[in-house]
Amino acid sequence: MPEIIAYILLGIYLLGMTFIFVYSLAQGHLLLNFLKARRNKSELKLLKNDFPKVTVQLPIFNELFVVERLIESVAKLNYPADKLEIQILDDSTDETVQIIQEKIKEFPQINFQYIHRADRQGFKAGALREGLEKASGDFIAIFDADFIPEPEFLLHTLPYFSSDNIGMVQSRWTHLNEKYSLLTRLQAFALDAHFLIEQTGRNHQGAFINFNGTGGVWRKKCILNAGNWHDDTLTEDLDLSYRAQRKGWEFVYRPEIESPAELPPVMSAIKSQQFRWTKGGAECAAKHAGNVLREKHPFLVKFHAMAHLFNSTIFIAVLLVSLSSLGVWWMGDQGLLPKESLKLAGVFLIGFAIIALVYLFSYVYREEKKSKSLLEAIVLLPVFLSVSMGLGLHNAQAVWEGLTGKKSPFIRTPKFNLEGGKSKLKNNLYLTFKMPVTTWFEGVLALVFITMVVLAFAHQNYLFLPFHMMLAFGYTLVFITSFKSYALGR
């Protein structure tokens, strides 16, 4: 009986590591395509004539601290006034309503269209859909409340609609408050890999990419042809992206066009955002994966679409690998598993090495001082991987809910504008998150993996020592920062 349990645990461990390994192959292939794309360095294009009519949509919900900054930035957009309208799609229920109405009076020369909804039906997707019905522009630019678009944004993005078949142009997010704390640095580390390696690598080979919800421009005809905004998933941006590309529309990603934005500075806000992104991604996987596989697409396009749609499922794999490794370590220590099988288990760790390489490249390529950034990345990488694994329990729950069809409301990520002195973290009125029970389980897992580190030295069995050390650090940091940030809102 113990031997059967040992092999079951080993099987679960190997199954999870196989998934991670296959996902890492997709990441490695994206890295190769990124490097190929880098050979053809492109300069920023500039629209100089034939200005089309553009509508800029700004979806807002209770944004006391950043909405004035947003309005000021879009008022500086360098574009002919008679060809530009700016829709403020306001679902706010607090003072943000009055702040917006007073602020837009400062710019009488700008065509601001204020649209307020008393009913938040459909949340962000519903607001965008309602605004689209009244939009006069042929092109629709979208910015969330925490973004500060550059004045030349429209002049730089619109030239890439060089063909009638191009439906969307996405820019690269950059970070206003990256150096605020360790948490913001780690988020920037993750997002840079997505925006530099993944988006570039997919776009270079003609695979599916996604509109990132903000910092991009759509052809209005493309949105309508693809069925408009749907609100049946938490990631309406990813959903519309797949529906449009499945209909034959082409997307363009331009990493040289930057869109600065704010990163959540506290763990409760990070978890809220992560939950929406991972659950929404899983919902889109359930909605689109089968259709993509049945449709006529090249093998690599389908392969990367599956890796893209199911990328959040890696948190379930990491959680299974983490928990099963406890039993595998113990069974191996008791001699219930042959050494050959344990060596086989170690081979799959190459998947983590490939994923780590992707993050290293993204950090180094982003910076000008390559040698210095490489050293910084080497220090930051194990911390990032540890915290990512420490979020495994929280995000695995979100993915499971998404795959199984459990619905939940769209909860937006609060913005703070701490650098501008507009707010403080302590007793912030937008930090109203209640601490979920999973936070206590994260604390328990932190103690479990700390114990495993101690046992590894006591038994001189170092099979999973680096892995368990990272899990111990990750779950400890996630638990402590979660506990502190949930306390801020009390």
Side-chain angles (χ1 to χ4, degrees), residues 143 146-150 172-176 258-262:
F143 291 102
D146 54 330
F147 275 69
I148 305 180
E150 300 287 351
R172 176 170 64 94
W173 295 5
T174 55
H175 320 295
L176 294 169
E258 300 180 356
S259 292
E262 180 182 299

Side-chain angles (χ1 to χ4, degrees), residues 294-310:
R294 286 189 292 269
E295 292 165 354
K296 292 183 179 180
H297 301 291
F299 169 76
L300 282 177
V301 170
K302 290 185 178 183
F303 175 65
H304 281 291
M306 294 304 103
H308 188 193
L309 289 168
F310 287 98

Side-chain angles (χ1 to χ4, degrees), residues 329-335 451-463 465:
W329 181 90
W330 181 256
M331 297 295 184
D333 191 64
Q334 299 300 305
T451 302
M452 292 304 298
V453 171
V454 174
L455 287 174
F457 286 104
H459 288 243
Q460 295 185 336
N461 182 349
Y462 308 116
L463 176 63
L465 180 60

Side-chain angles (χ1 to χ4, degrees), residues 364 368-376:
V364 171
E368 293 181 1
K369 298 178 180 179
K370 303 299 183 188
S371 57
K372 180 182 177 182
S373 62
L374 178 59
L375 292 174
E376 291 176 347

Side-chain angles (χ1 to χ4, degrees), residues 315 328 374:
F315 288 107
V328 172
L374 178 59

